[in-house]
Amino acid sequence: MGSLQVSGVTVAFGGHRALDDVAMTAEPGRVTGLIGPNGAGKSTLFDVVSGLRRPSSGRVVLDGRDVTRLGPARRARHGLARTFQRLELFGRLSVGDNLRVAAELGPERRRADHVVTEILDRLGLAHLADTPSDSLSTGVARLVEVGRAMAARPKLLLLDEPAAGQDGEETERFAALLRSLAGDGTAVVLVEHDMGLVMNVCDEVHVLNLGKIIASGPPEVIRRDETVLAAYLGDA
Amino acid sequence: MNPLLELREIRAAYDGITALHGVDLRVGAGQVVALLGPNGAGKTTTLRVAAGVHPAESGRLLLGGRDLTGADPRDLARAGVCLIPEGRGVFPNLSVRDNLLMMTFTGRSREQVEEVAFARFPILAKRATQTAGTLSGGEQQMLALARGLATDPAVLLLDELSMGLAPLIVAELYEQVAEIARQGVAVLVVEQFAAAVLDIADHAAVMVRGRIERHGRPDDGLRTELSALYLGSST
Amino acid sequence: MEQFLAFGVVGLTTAAVYAVIGSGLVLTYTTTGVFNFAHGATGMLAAFSYWQLAEGWGLPVPVALALVLLVLAPGFGLLLERFVLRHAQGLGDAQRLVITVALLSGFIATARWVWDPNEPRPLSPFFVDREPFRLGPAVITWHQAITMAVAVAVAAGLWALLNRTRTGAEMRATVDDRALVGLTGADPVRANRVAWMLGTQLAAVGGILIAPTVALDASQLSLLIVSAYAAAIFGRLRSLPLTFLGAVVVGCTESFLTGYLPQNEYLPGLRLAAPALLLFAVLLLFPHRRLRGRDRKLIPVPMPSMRGTAVFAASIVALGVLLATTLGEEQAITYGSMFALGVVALSYVPLTGYAGQVSLCQLSIAGIGAVVWAQLGAHGELWALGATILISAVVGALIALPALRLSGVYLALGTTAFTIILDRWIFTLPSFELFGVRIALFRQGSAEVVGPNLFGLRLEDTAQIMVFAAVCLALAVLGVAALRRGTFGRRLIALRDSEAAYATLGGNLLLAKVLVFSLSAGLAGLGGALYGMHLRSVTAENFNLVAGLPIFLIAVIGGLGMVGNGLFTGASFVGPNVLISVAPWLHNPMGLLPALVGIGVSRHPEGVLPMMRRGWEPLGRDRTVLAALLGLFALVWALRLGDVIGGWTLFVALLVGAHLLQKAAAVRQAAQTAPDVPVEWWGVRRPWRAEDKEVLARGLAAG
């Protein structure tokens, strides 16, 4: 299982609150969307959940276990994996080796080669296995990051703008991938600006604005929510 | 009216990937033009090309009818183009006064710069010796605007002025922007938060995937179109 | 009380010099982002120039001072900015570091070349003939008073410049946001120029003020900077007031240690090492830095093939045997250290090349390896070699623990401090007893080192030890290549490329870093033991900081990502001796070589080995040419052994032959790959192929 409960998380730099009493959940087998305008605090929330940033207050609970005080590596061993909006590939390793490092650190380290081949095939990246990962275009690099996170066989997968730079057809395929990941029982949390994709694949959407969750619910409700629209359009 | 700032058929790319596919934009003196659109549409790139910070692959950049295509940022700054970049228009470790001092390289005296800045934003006079990084977000944007004004620009390019600010402060800032435009400055504003800027804009352009999809007056039709863009079409 | 005051005055005077030098360092670092390891060496050059003008050529003191401080120093700063440091700004942390380390090494070599180190150069303090004056109970000489006054004036002047002038605002603004400075119409390059000119002047002032109280010695003066580093780190490389405070702490600590440290044979070194100990302590008091994002400029780490590596390792052994059988004893002593130093240099590959940890203490660890072997392997016992590697690895792990808190420039500083602590204190200790074991280091002189005893076969003469070292290097190359191909090598590269991603995938940063530090320390220790065997008797000077710099520089020039680095570094280190043996006057210019090439690293950040590898690859793949090369090798070797040809003929024949065969292989390779036929001529100049149609169709669709 890979359920996530975040409650009361606040991150303050000086007087500014990047996150303010944020609560959200993600369930296994479901894709949870996290949307909001630029600077709303989405990536900061991912840093808090993955252990790269300590919140000033609040709790992060993974599978019923409080992990707030654990470092990133310990959380990864509890089944958490993520991608980065700013792209954090291992640039000097090939695409295949990027995945292999993750697989060798994950629960299926004994069959790492098998895991790597399987994921590369699933993502349609098999022909890039030996390509140096610093020579990829941004769109492909994002996909490789998703693959690397998958190679760790996570129970909870945090994806930070994985589809940026993809065209219409690629986005379609990516949506299918997300659904199949959830179908495998993974809890997927998706930060994305492509609203078509979010509304299409998410079972539940949380909307973050100025560090606060301003709405949560299924996509069709969020789409018609006046507060959400106001946040995006900047109405008071 | 002749446009003061004009972009014609601008194409630009990052790492060989085209970000702008032929962008046309005109901003007249005293006009506020809002450039709206979802993330990654190419709005910031358009501003960067207009300020000379990013090179255009083709197309022309005209300033008051003069062709300044390919000029470097310092020349454009001297020709009266002022870019206030997203989220970092101030030097955080310098005092307010020293931030303003940095605007004297274009030939104005310290007194002139401070007079213009403090007249427009009196709160800055009270904070003169405070380090810019310790100001509130709104005050920092005021300082950024004030620094822009101090050079007496012909063209003001604003990128995401509202980022991370509460709506009331944003509205107040845009009031000041409108006031600046009334003095004959051509203002081009890039925004994701559309509402505040639509209240003061004379003209709006909506950009999607590197192209301007729609030009027009900021009316209700535009608002509906934007909400469809941001939150996915509801039909 | 009187004594206390006297030491206090001395301490404050020293502090004043450190403060002046340290503030120059802070000024250039904050404005330009380049941490200048050569800052102290710049001051050293200024002190020598001042001596030359005032004492050497007898110019009046004010004229000499004005020339150095107002003409030479700022001019030198401008030249450095224009031709070296401006290019450094666009580079990654490691390359910038290499460039200033190259400057440091180059300045010391220049000073030793121009000013013969064996000649004493007394420099008299300012107003030496005036009576010292009393201030209350304290007695102060005029030189001390002037030094302190200068520091106060520098403090006031810098404060006024930075806070009261537009140029100062421009400099501080450049630190905050370089791009934004460009948008205001100001000029960030001008701010940099001012910073380098002022920084050089401050270093010069410090150098001239301190030179009369210490000996005018190139490396000693250059390393005074360690105290100034400690002061600057006090100010976190940002704050000038804290830098001044740090200078007072360092200066007074040194002075009072001189006065009040108990007199015994173990402690005099502690006083000399005090600045380095303080530097180490201050570095560790830094708060944890957040997990770093990725560095844009990364040096590629090619995957060595197992076959290629095996061929390379075999050639190393062959080279060792060739040299051992053809060189005379004297030449063997000159060139034989190449394999031992090669092992030391190879230790940089996993540590710095893969894991990105810049360490300047590898040769010091080699020194530890040498003394451990000297003590445990006094009769050449083979187990002692294993123990040497093990003990060196433990030392490496001990360095790693504090080093985990540091990265980039701070790690380089920390390892420098460690090296200096060893140089000035630990290596100078007489033998002592620890937990009932008698430990002798260099015995305050030299330690005797013998060759290993290989199952009854005692390796004694230089030639035998050379072959043994070549075999060790070959094994180490195989080991490092296997590491690169395996899980641990991948992890090291991954954690360097993105610590954040590595940690969030469940990787243990601490464990990986400790392991790689001990692994490379083990290698360095082995190299040190081999180097010791080769030299037969080692002193602490063989392993000090200044001796280690050229090895680091050459290793970087070679390319830290390549396993060929060891042989390259070893050969390049001893290679120039071939020329020097022909033309002895080349001795000094050759000393400058590593520094000059190190400065050029900005042009080829990946090093020269990848280029060499590309050049030699065709030869490795072409069996015919390879056989020809082996034949040539065997032929000239046999001729030399039969005394038909001399050593020089052998050398030239191999050089020319290998070069010609490499060219031949390249030509044969080019002939095999079909020339590129333009698309219009397909089917005309070459036959039409089945796949051509599809290629054309795709090209048209894309166009």
Side-chain angles (χ1 to χ4, degrees):
Chain A
M1 290 291 100
S3 68
L4 167 73
Q5 280 101 35
V6 171
S7 54
V9 163
T10 297
V11 171
F13 321 102
H16 172 67
R17 292 191 159 200
L19 292 177
D20 191 354
D21 196 19
V22 168
M24 70 165 284
T25 56
E27 293 300 324
R30 289 160 73 92
V31 181
T32 307
L34 181 61
I35 65 170
N38 264 350
K42 299 174 304 257
S43 292
T44 311
L45 182 55
F46 268 20
D47 283 351
V48 169
V49 173
S50 60
L52 291 179
R53 186 189 289 281
R54 281 271 155 83
S56 328
S57 63
R59 289 186 352 132
V60 178
V61 177
L62 212 62
D63 263 347
R65 185 199 301 257
D66 188 336
V67 297
T68 318
R69 310 193 71 72
L70 299 187
R74 299 278 300 280
R75 294 188 199 195
R77 276 168 233 147
H78 283 126
L80 186 149
R82 68 169 290 186
T83 70
F84 295 83
Q85 191 221 327
R86 57 179 184 271
L87 277 179
E88 294 274 351
L89 279 179
F90 305 134
R92 297 176 298 167
L93 293 176
S94 68
V95 169
D97 276 354
N98 264 275
L99 271 63
R100 195 162 284 115
V101 168
E104 285 168 347
L105 287 166
E108 292 186 31
R109 67 200 63 179
R110 293 187 192 289
R111 44 201 292 270
D113 282 330
H114 173 81
V115 171
V116 172
T117 324
E118 182 219 304
I119 292 175
L120 285 177
D121 284 341
R122 192 167 173 186
L123 298 181
L125 295 172
H127 60 292
L128 293 177
D130 295 325
T131 310
S133 61
D134 59 0
S135 65
L136 304 173
S137 71
T138 339
V140 180
R142 288 187 184 282
L143 202 55
V144 173
E145 268 210 15
V146 174
R148 186 177 65 186
M150 285 163 62
R153 297 295 195 210
K155 293 183 276 184
L156 170 65
L157 182 57
L158 310 178
L159 302 175
D160 202 343
E161 296 195 28
Q166 292 182 348
D167 65 25
E169 198 185 318
E170 287 165 340
T171 312
E172 280 296 308
R173 256 184 283 145
F174 191 69
L177 172 74
L178 290 182
R179 274 191 226 99
S180 82
L181 278 172
D184 298 345
T186 315
V188 180
V189 182
L190 175 68
V191 164
E192 188 49 65
H193 279 289
D194 182 338
M195 285 307 143
L197 178 64
V198 171
M199 297 297 165
N200 184 354
V201 300
C202 291
D203 302 293
E204 169 95 5
V205 176
H206 299 281
V207 187
L208 202 57
N209 188 33
L210 295 171
K212 288 193 171 83
I213 296 278
I214 56 165
S216 299
E220 51 278 15
V221 174
I222 293 296
R223 183 180 288 158
R224 285 189 222 99
D225 190 318
E226 277 301 315
T227 10
V228 176
L229 194 58
Y232 266 87
L233 297 183
D235 277 330
Chain B
M1 184 169 58
N2 280 333
L4 194 52
L5 172 73
E6 190 174 1
L7 304 180
R8 282 193 199 157
E9 274 295 303
I10 294 284
R11 291 173 165 274
Y14 284 100
D15 299 331
I17 296 166
T18 310
L20 300 181
H21 303 266
V23 169
D24 289 293
L25 259 183
R26 306 158 131 228
V27 191
Q31 226 187 3
V32 176
V33 173
L35 185 56
L36 310 167
N39 236 22
K43 305 182 302 275
T44 297
T45 311
T46 309
L47 279 198
R48 287 167 58 84
V49 169
V53 183
H54 188 83
E57 288 192 329
S58 67
R60 293 172 64 194
L61 170 66
L62 302 171
L63 199 67
R66 260 170 78 205
D67 192 335
L68 285 172
T69 316
D72 75 34
R74 277 175 72 196
D75 291 336
L76 281 167
R78 292 195 173 136
V81 177
C82 174
L83 168 68
I84 299 185
E86 173 189 325
R88 43 161 212 174
V90 300
F91 299 108
N93 289 311
L94 266 58
S95 68
V96 169
R97 186 159 255 148
D98 285 343
N99 262 284
L100 294 171
L101 182 63
M102 284 304 289
M103 298 319 293
T104 59
F105 288 94
T106 38
R108 328 197 110 225
S109 73
R110 180 178 202 141
E111 289 70 26
Q112 284 171 313
V113 170
E114 288 187 359
E115 196 184 309
V116 174
F118 294 160
R120 169 81 49 211
F121 302 103
I123 183 79
L124 293 179
K126 286 190 203 151
R127 305 260 190 268
T129 54
Q130 204 172 322
T131 313
T134 64
L135 299 176
S136 75
E139 287 165 352
Q140 290 195 23
Q141 286 295 24
M142 286 180 199
L143 178 56
L145 270 176
R147 287 208 9 242
L149 290 181
T151 55
D152 199 4
V155 176
L156 192 57
L157 308 171
L158 300 176
D159 196 358
E160 300 272 1
L161 200 58
S162 63
M163 175 94 124
L165 297 181
L168 272 177
I169 296 170
V170 176
E172 199 178 307
L173 278 172
Y174 275 119
E175 269 314 302
Q176 296 292 339
V177 171
E179 184 61 39
I180 291 163
R182 277 196 280 278
Q183 292 171 356
V185 179
V187 184
L188 178 58
V189 184
V190 158
E191 263 300 347
Q192 212 196 9
F193 294 86
V197 67
L198 286 183
D199 288 345
I200 62 151
D202 301 293
H203 189 90
V206 178
M207 197 166 197
V208 182
R209 290 179 199 254
R211 290 191 173 83
I212 294 196
E213 296 277 313
R214 195 197 134 124
H215 274 288
R217 295 213 40 87
D219 50 21
D220 284 351
L222 186 83
R223 211 185 123 94
T224 319
E225 197 167 314
L226 278 172
S227 60
L229 260 178
Y230 289 156
L231 295 181
S233 168
S234 46
T235 47
Chain C
M1 186 61 196
E2 202 156 300
Q3 196 198 9
F4 181 83
L5 277 176
F7 284 118
V9 169
V10 172
L12 285 177
T13 311
T14 328
V17 175
Y18 295 162
V20 170
I21 300 180
S23 58
L25 193 70
V26 170
L27 189 72
T28 49
Y29 179 70
T30 52
T31 315
T32 68
V34 176
F35 185 89
N36 188 4
F37 266 80
H39 189 68
T42 316
M44 175 274 295
L45 281 183
F48 271 98
S49 311
Y50 171 70
W51 176 90
Q52 188 65 53
L53 295 172
E55 308 275 334
W57 293 337
L59 291 181
V61 168
V63 177
L65 271 182
L67 271 177
V68 173
L69 295 181
L70 301 177
V71 181
L72 293 181
F76 193 64
L78 271 183
L79 283 178
L80 279 184
E81 192 277 332
R82 176 70 191 80
F83 293 105
V84 182
L85 297 160
R86 192 184 295 179
H87 307 288
Q89 262 167 3
L91 301 173
D93 254 6
Q95 282 99 28
R96 279 195 261 187
L97 196 89
V98 169
I99 289 176
T100 60
V101 168
L103 286 177
L104 166 62
S105 162
F107 290 169
I108 293 178
T110 308
R112 286 185 177 160
W113 180 8
V114 178
W115 292 282
D116 181 0
N118 298 319
E119 212 174 283
R121 288 189 179 75
L123 194 58
S124 53
F126 294 107
F127 303 111
V128 68
D129 37 6
R130 286 211 195 173
E131 276 296 304
F133 61 88
R134 295 188 77 86
L135 198 70
V139 183
I140 303 173
T141 70
W142 281 90
H143 186 86
Q144 289 171 328
I146 285 175
T147 306
M148 287 187 260
V150 165
V152 172
V154 163
L158 279 180
W159 185 84
L161 170 79
L162 289 175
N163 295 300
R164 284 287 174 268
T165 68
R166 197 173 71 167
T167 308
E170 194 182 11
M171 289 166 77
R172 286 185 296 137
T174 309
V175 181
D176 268 5
D177 192 332
R178 216 180 153 76
L180 192 58
V181 170
L183 288 174
T184 64
D187 186 356
V189 175
R190 177 177 50 202
N192 284 354
R193 252 186 240 132
V194 174
W196 285 118
M197 278 165 54
L198 265 178
T200 313
Q201 280 176 309
L202 289 173
V205 170
I208 292 173
L209 284 175
I210 196 117
T213 55
V214 297
L216 204 57
D217 171 83
S219 76
Q220 207 188 333
L221 271 178
S222 301
L223 295 183
L224 272 177
I225 188 67
V226 174
S227 314
Y229 286 158
I233 299 288
F234 242 90
R236 301 209 167 158
L237 293 177
R238 278 199 307 269
S239 155
L240 287 173
L242 282 179
T243 302
F244 274 72
L245 181 68
V248 172
V249 172
V250 179
C252 290
T253 309
E254 277 180 51
S255 173
F256 288 125
L257 281 179
T258 313
Y260 296 106
L261 211 57
Q263 295 292 324
N264 76 33
E265 48 185 340
Y266 298 105
L267 291 176
L270 176 63
R271 193 199 73 75
L272 296 173
L277 282 165
L278 277 172
L279 173 59
F280 211 70
V282 180
L283 278 170
L284 292 183
L285 291 175
F286 260 62
H288 268 295
R289 305 212 305 167
R290 220 169 56 77
L291 290 178
R292 227 164 356 118
R294 65 204 166 120
D295 195 334
R296 279 167 296 116
K297 311 270 178 186
L298 288 174
I299 298 162
V301 279
M303 178 81 87
S305 71
M306 235 34 230
R307 180 175 169 272
T309 312
V311 170
F312 180 63
S315 345
I316 292 176
V317 177
L319 181 65
V321 173
L322 173 82
L323 290 179
T325 49
T326 55
L327 293 179
E329 177 68 14
E330 198 182 320
Q331 287 169 313
I333 290 172
T334 313
Y335 300 110
S337 60
M338 108 172 42
F339 303 104
L341 291 176
V343 176
V344 179
L346 191 62
S347 75
Y348 276 113
V349 172
L351 184 64
T352 313
Y354 300 166
Q357 308 289 315
V358 177
S359 151
L360 293 175
C361 65
Q362 293 308 94
L363 192 65
S364 305
I365 295 173
I368 291 172
V371 288
V372 170
W373 170 252
Q375 178 151 356
L376 298 181
H379 304 290
E381 300 90 333
L382 209 52
W383 63 265
L385 203 57
T388 303
I389 297 174
L390 214 63
I391 290 175
S392 310
V394 170
V395 173
L398 288 179
I399 300 169
L401 286 176
L404 286 175
R405 297 179 63 101
L406 310 171
S407 65
V409 164
Y410 298 109
L411 179 56
L413 274 176
T415 50
T416 306
F418 175 77
T419 301
I420 292 173
I421 295 168
L422 288 184
D423 287 353
R424 293 191 183 164
W425 184 28
I426 308 292
F427 283 172
T428 63
L429 289 177
S431 66
F432 56 92
E433 217 159 278
L434 198 66
F435 308 121
V437 184
R438 186 111 208 124
I439 296 176
L441 296 165
F442 290 101
R443 300 178 176 87
Q444 293 183 306
S446 62
E448 301 309 309
V449 188
V450 300
N453 189 340
L454 288 182
F455 312 107
L457 174 67
R458 193 69 195 263
L459 303 185
E460 269 169 356
D461 64 3
T462 313
Q464 288 170 331
I465 288 171
M466 194 186 335
V467 176
F468 181 69
V471 172
C472 286
L473 176 60
L475 290 176
V477 163
L478 288 172
V480 173
L483 175 84
R484 166 67 184 91
R485 296 174 60 85
T487 303
F488 188 51
R490 255 193 308 278
R491 288 189 182 175
L492 291 179
I493 296 166
L495 83 88
R496 163 77 178 106
D497 288 2
S498 170
E499 287 192 358
Y502 185 72
T504 53
L505 287 169
N508 187 337
L509 291 169
L510 189 122
L511 186 68
K513 284 189 185 175
V514 170
L515 275 178
V516 71
F517 262 96
S518 29
L519 184 103
S520 78
L523 260 184
L526 170 67
L530 294 170
Y531 190 43
M533 292 174 203
H534 174 80
L535 294 175
R536 285 157 197 281
S537 138
V538 289
T539 67
E541 276 72 53
N542 293 125
F543 302 100
N544 70 17
L545 178 69
V546 177
L549 292 181
I551 296 181
F552 171 69
L553 288 174
I554 300 175
V556 173
I557 297 157
L560 291 173
M562 314 272 296
V563 292
N565 196 304
L567 182 68
F568 175 86
T569 305
S572 310
F573 193 76
V574 299
N577 290 325
V578 176
L579 293 175
I580 294 170
S581 69
V582 185
W585 57 270
L586 279 172
H587 180 77
N588 278 318
M590 285 297 167
L592 270 179
L593 211 55
L596 286 176
V597 194
I599 291 167
V601 81
S602 55
R603 281 175 213 280
H604 297 288
E606 85 276 22
V608 299
L609 275 169
M611 282 185 278
M612 288 173 71
R613 186 178 161 189
R614 277 194 290 278
W616 287 89
E617 227 166 21
L619 192 147
R621 268 191 256 116
D622 193 323
R623 279 158 199 268
T624 325
V625 182
L626 200 58
L629 183 67
L630 286 177
L632 173 79
F633 183 87
L635 177 73
V636 289
W637 188 22
L639 289 175
R640 176 71 193 95
L641 288 183
D643 233 353
V644 182
I645 58 172
W648 280 109
T649 322
L650 168 105
F651 180 69
V652 172
L654 275 183
L655 219 57
V656 172
H659 183 72
L660 286 178
L661 285 170
Q662 183 213 350
K663 284 270 172 287
V667 168
R668 280 163 55 93
Q669 199 110 67
Q672 277 165 17
T673 44
D676 215 13
V677 180
V679 74
E680 301 90 327
W681 294 92
W682 288 1
V684 181
R685 286 199 187 156
R686 69 164 173 75
W688 180 264
R689 296 185 203 132
E691 67 267 27
D692 286 349
K693 193 172 164 196
E694 201 197 326
V695 173
L696 276 185
R698 227 185 290 135
L700 288 174

